[in-house]
Amino acid sequence: MGKIFKDDASVLVNDDPIGNEFHLCECGYEECRPTKPYEFIPIDYWVIHYCISGEGFFQILDKQNHIHPGDIFMIPPHTRNKYYPDAKNPWSYRWIGLRGTNVKKVLARCGLSPEHYVIHHKVDPQLESLFEKVYDHFQKDHELMALGSAYYLLDYLSNNVRNARLDHLSPGELYFHSVLNYIHKNYFNNITVSDIAAAANIDRTYVFKLFQKYMDMSPSQYLQHYRLDKACVLLRKSSLSITDIGYAVGFQHSPYFTKLFTQYMGVTPSEYRKEFMQFGGDDNFSSP
């Protein structure tokens, strides 16, 4: 087999983010030679690899995965990890590195989370092409095009690769996926844990067990946090009153919403909105 890339390896880095929510900080590729296993120093950003050819091994939290062509594996921030090529059939792969407050949520929609580091997938020319486009735009200093291509890549993972992965989930994972899907589509209604269990056709106790296993929190806590995250978006991006925002994300009583929001964010909804609006004002308008 001939060389896949022009060089054995290349890495591109951008340490000047446009914003703090989602930043494409790195991308690259490597055509590996057989090496001895060694542990990598934990990094402070997320990295998603796509294996193009060959084989290798990825170990994280003492769990080893055998990686084949088409597989995707993720390294989260501040996590010990080890990965290396198969000695007889060394792999080649592309990767992107991401920083930002929204990266974890975006990757979760792609089926990548602290509970699921690997997606076993088929060889996918479309996915390889998307990784390549990110690199090409990055290399040409087309920062916004590279960022757009990264979003396109992740959308492809979410709507194509992730759906294929659901066929290989355990019964518990499938139930949990169903529960999350119900919450995400109905969080603004006055839903309860019993409603969530009924929608998934499982017992309330089992719902609690699933959330403890996959989220280390109760379903009520997850629903509450999800609603408050949605409230943050509305406070930043809408002119709705605080009372209306509370109702819009599923809270029936405004004082209770304000109390929970203050506990969750460390500031009141009014203070949160004021900080954001003040930042926008200083950035875009001159003082009178």
Side-chain angles (χ1 to χ4, degrees), residues 21 31 41 128 155 185 245 263 265:
E21 292 186 344
E31 186 172 353
I41 298 173
E128 181 180 349
D155 180 77
K185 289 184 176 180
I245 286 174
Q263 292 174 347
M265 296 300 297

Side-chain angles (χ1 to χ4, degrees), residues 163-221:
N163 288 339
R165 178 184 175 275
L166 293 178
D167 295 336
H168 304 285
L169 295 182
S170 68
E173 289 171 325
L174 286 171
Y175 278 125
F176 188 62
H177 172 75
S178 175
V179 164
L180 288 183
N181 188 53
Y182 178 80
I183 291 174
H184 295 169
K185 289 184 176 180
N186 295 277
Y187 69 90
F188 46 84
N189 293 318
N190 187 25
I191 60 174
T192 65
V193 176
S194 294
D195 295 327
I196 296 169
N201 198 28
I202 54 178
D203 186 80
R204 290 178 78 258
T205 303
Y206 190 43
V207 174
F208 278 92
K209 288 181 179 179
L210 289 173
F211 272 90
Q212 285 299 321
K213 179 177 181 179
Y214 294 113
M215 288 291 186
D216 196 26
M217 65 175 67
S218 71
S220 297
Q221 286 175 314

Side-chain angles (χ1 to χ4, degrees), residues 97-225:
L98 303 168
R99 278 194 180 96
T101 55
N102 281 345
V103 173
K104 183 177 181 180
K105 291 182 181 179
V106 172
L107 293 182
R109 294 186 180 185
C110 300
L112 293 167
S113 70
E115 292 77 35
H116 300 107
Y117 300 97
V118 177
I119 297 177
H120 294 292
H121 188 50
K122 61 185 178 181
V123 174
D124 190 333
Q126 176 68 8
L127 186 56
E128 181 180 349
S129 175
L130 290 171
F131 272 93
E132 184 178 358
K133 286 180 180 179
V134 174
Y135 179 89
D136 288 344
H137 292 316
F138 203 115
Q139 187 178 44
K140 295 173 182 175
D141 292 326
H142 295 165
E143 184 175 1
L144 294 177
M145 292 183 72
L147 187 60
S149 294
Y151 272 115
Y152 193 3
L153 187 161
L154 294 171
D155 180 77
Y156 185 83
L157 284 179
S158 176
N159 291 294
N160 294 276
V161 177
R162 181 173 182 266
N163 288 339
R165 178 184 175 275
L166 293 178
D167 295 336
H168 304 285
L169 295 182
S170 68
E173 289 171 325
L174 286 171
Y175 278 125
F176 188 62
H177 172 75
S178 175
V179 164
L180 288 183
N181 188 53
Y182 178 80
I183 291 174
H184 295 169
K185 289 184 176 180
N186 295 277
Y187 69 90
F188 46 84
N189 293 318
N190 187 25
I191 60 174
T192 65
V193 176
S194 294
D195 295 327
I196 296 169
N201 198 28
I202 54 178
D203 186 80
R204 290 178 78 258
T205 303
Y206 190 43
V207 174
F208 278 92
K209 288 181 179 179
L210 289 173
F211 272 90
Q212 285 299 321
K213 179 177 181 179
Y214 294 113
M215 288 291 186
D216 196 26
M217 65 175 67
S218 71
S220 297
Q221 286 175 314
Y222 179 83
L223 174 59
Q224 187 180 101
H225 292 176

Side-chain angles (χ1 to χ4, degrees), residues 209-257:
K209 288 181 179 179
L210 289 173
F211 272 90
Q212 285 299 321
K213 179 177 181 179
Y214 294 113
M215 288 291 186
D216 196 26
M217 65 175 67
S218 71
S220 297
Q221 286 175 314
Y222 179 83
L223 174 59
Q224 187 180 101
H225 292 176
Y226 192 80
R227 285 170 166 167
L228 292 171
D229 287 338
K230 292 294 184 182
C232 286
V233 175
L234 290 176
L235 285 166
R236 296 197 307 267
K237 299 183 180 294
S238 81
S239 58
L240 291 172
S241 70
I242 289 170
T243 297
D244 286 343
I245 286 174
Y247 286 131
V249 299
F251 291 100
Q252 302 302 306
H253 304 287
S254 184
Y256 182 61
F257 164 62

